[in-house]
Amino acid sequence: MCTTCGCGLSPSHTDGDGIAGRMIRLERDLLAKNDRYAEQNRDRFLHHKVLALNVMSSPGAGKTALLAQTIRELSPEMRIGVVEGDQQTRRDAQRIEAAGALAVQINTGKSCHLEAQGVGQALLQLPLMDLDLLFIENVGNLVCPAGFDLGEQYRIVLVSVTEGDDKPLKYPDMFATADLLVITKLDLLPYVEFSQEQCVAYARQINPELNWLGLSSQSGEGMLHWQIWLDQQLTALRTSK
Amino acid sequence: MHELSLAEGLIEILTEEASKQAYRQVRKVVLEIGEFSHVAPDAMRFCFEIAAQGSVAEGAVLDLTFRQAMGECRCCGESVVMHSRYDACPACGAYGIRVVEGEDMSIKYIEVV
């Protein structure tokens, strides 16, 4: 009910100044605009058969380290591009370029997440037709990026063993929409209290079908499983219509 | 703060509708926010006020209504009122309830002159 004139939002509603106001029923989704751009991105990825992965985690979980190591191991056989999201600097893009892939940096300024429109603009700077794999490295943040579809085919969330195995319960939105959980920094496991099984169990409380794997970009442990997962998704994409 | 981009999106919609529906000023916006959507109410109000400056919605009242999150158990099919994403099904105890309602954010009504 209206709190100004007491009407039930009727057409005869009037505001304090006595001028009759009109009520208009809208039913418009706040994310509709982002979703439209996300759909455009998705169409472009499918058209060029590029596997697009939205990589998310809290800051410092090892996103860039994992991508750089993946590029060193897989390119040039696999052609990889990276869209890098950070609030400031080109540092991550430089790390990716040093590893041997094409990178476009998006600086989000005050914003805490990437949006589909910005990613779409970044794609114009990448030769999508020549790529097999596109990583979209989101802003380090375990909250906001979960709410914005970028047009990716899969969402990957990283949790490092130094963060605590209860992260999925503390930040459930992120895990609810993820397709793959990657537990990183396994080389540090002997020094911290972290149970991979517990972390996965918590995550599956929210998302029972979530796949997971553990690895260390530093020692190389588990990197093979990660490559196999990437290969499987690429094969599935290429054999799809 | 992602509420700022949501608020900017909201203002964009209100501006767009202004020419379609022939109004010059928005007095009130009624938003329906799902319990599991990505909106913190205080942050949204704050950002709306900033984003509305100089637009058709400058000075408009933002009215937030909440929609309860509802889910469906993947195991037994029970319809469940959800309080968190990691709730177990009250009927069978299984985890991983599928969210059916309560993730959306939408404009329901606007009052205009």
Side-chain angles (χ1 to χ4, degrees):
Chain A
M1 192 176 78
C2 157
T3 51
T4 307
C5 70
C7 75
L9 302 177
S10 71
S12 62
H13 170 93
T14 58
D15 205 345
D17 57 11
I19 303 168
R22 274 192 293 146
M23 295 301 304
I24 302 175
R25 191 181 165 82
L26 274 189
E27 293 289 351
R28 300 249 332 232
D29 188 336
L30 277 197
L31 284 174
K33 184 181 155 208
N34 184 73
D35 290 348
R36 267 201 312 277
Y37 282 107
E39 235 17 80
Q40 285 177 14
N41 293 347
R42 206 181 323 277
D43 288 347
R44 286 157 83 179
F45 297 141
L46 285 177
H47 178 73
H48 294 294
K49 299 264 179 191
V50 177
L51 179 65
L53 306 172
N54 184 356
V55 183
M56 298 178 278
S57 77
S58 43
K63 292 185 294 302
T64 314
L66 173 60
L67 301 191
Q69 188 56 29
T70 306
I71 291 159
R72 281 190 287 267
E73 289 179 11
L74 297 183
S75 66
E77 289 74 23
M78 197 180 278
R79 298 162 304 171
I80 304 175
V82 180
V83 174
E84 277 290 341
D86 278 302
Q87 284 199 321
Q88 301 284 334
T89 80
R90 269 204 101 248
R91 294 179 72 92
D92 280 358
Q94 285 160 354
R95 283 171 72 187
I96 294 297
E97 283 161 356
L102 292 169
V104 181
Q105 180 83 48
I106 301 177
N107 282 137
T108 59
K110 297 279 177 274
S111 189
C112 48
H113 61 277
L114 288 178
E115 291 186 15
Q117 187 177 9
V119 170
Q121 281 163 359
L123 293 180
L124 299 175
Q125 298 173 53
L126 285 170
L128 276 190
M129 65 184 76
D130 297 329
L131 294 182
D132 301 304
L133 182 56
L134 177 80
F135 290 114
I136 305 167
E137 185 181 335
N138 221 310
V139 180
N141 177 343
L142 218 42
V143 185
C144 315
F148 296 84
D149 183 7
L150 303 179
E152 70 276 356
Q153 282 120 4
Y154 296 101
R155 290 183 160 201
I156 298 172
V157 56
L158 273 57
V159 173
S160 63
V161 300
T162 52
E163 289 177 68
D165 48 28
D166 55 356
K167 274 282 157 76
L169 292 188
K170 293 176 173 172
Y171 300 94
D173 291 353
M174 181 59 79
F175 295 84
T177 58
D179 299 292
L180 178 71
L181 163 66
V182 178
I183 298 177
T184 60
K185 307 191 189 181
L186 284 193
D187 54 307
L188 297 179
L189 206 47
Y191 312 104
V192 292
E193 276 195 35
F194 184 98
S195 158
Q196 295 184 72
E197 293 68 30
Q198 184 64 76
C199 183
V200 172
Y202 283 145
R204 286 194 172 154
Q205 230 172 283
I206 300 155
N207 182 351
E209 278 135 39
L210 184 65
N211 287 311
W212 79 280
L213 51 90
L215 54 78
S216 164
S217 314
Q218 199 74 32
S219 71
E221 181 184 354
M223 285 298 282
L224 189 60
H225 284 124
W226 164 239
Q227 290 180 15
I228 291 171
W229 187 87
L230 290 174
D231 262 337
Q232 286 171 339
Q233 313 317 316
L234 259 176
T235 309
L237 176 68
R238 284 175 181 153
T239 52
S240 69
K241 281 183 188 164
Chain B
M1 195 181 332
H2 64 279
E3 279 81 0
L4 187 56
S5 48
L6 294 176
E8 284 167 353
L10 169 57
I11 299 299
E12 215 166 289
I13 292 173
L14 297 177
T15 309
E16 197 182 297
E17 291 287 338
S19 49
K20 272 198 245 168
Q21 314 245 20
Y23 58 78
R24 53 188 169 76
Q25 198 194 342
V26 180
R27 281 185 180 163
K28 183 150 109 185
V29 181
V30 182
L31 275 191
E32 187 179 78
I33 305 297
E35 295 272 3
F36 286 180
S37 75
H38 302 260
V39 170
D42 286 347
M44 191 65 193
R45 286 195 189 92
F46 178 73
C47 293
F48 176 75
E49 206 179 305
I50 294 170
Q53 281 170 16
S55 78
V56 287
E58 182 162 354
V61 175
L62 182 66
D63 196 347
L64 300 179
T65 60
F66 295 89
R67 190 180 185 94
Q68 185 140 48
M70 296 292 297
E72 187 185 84
C73 178
R74 291 170 209 248
C75 253
C76 71
E78 178 85 358
S79 209
V80 180
V81 174
M82 296 182 76
H83 303 288
S84 76
R85 287 193 187 268
Y86 47 82
D87 283 345
C89 170
C92 75
Y95 284 111
I97 297 170
R98 197 168 57 83
V99 183
V100 180
E101 242 177 64
E103 289 184 309
D104 295 343
M105 308 169 255
S106 57
I107 311 172
K108 287 287 161 189
Y109 294 96
I110 52 175
E111 187 198 323
V112 300
V113 284

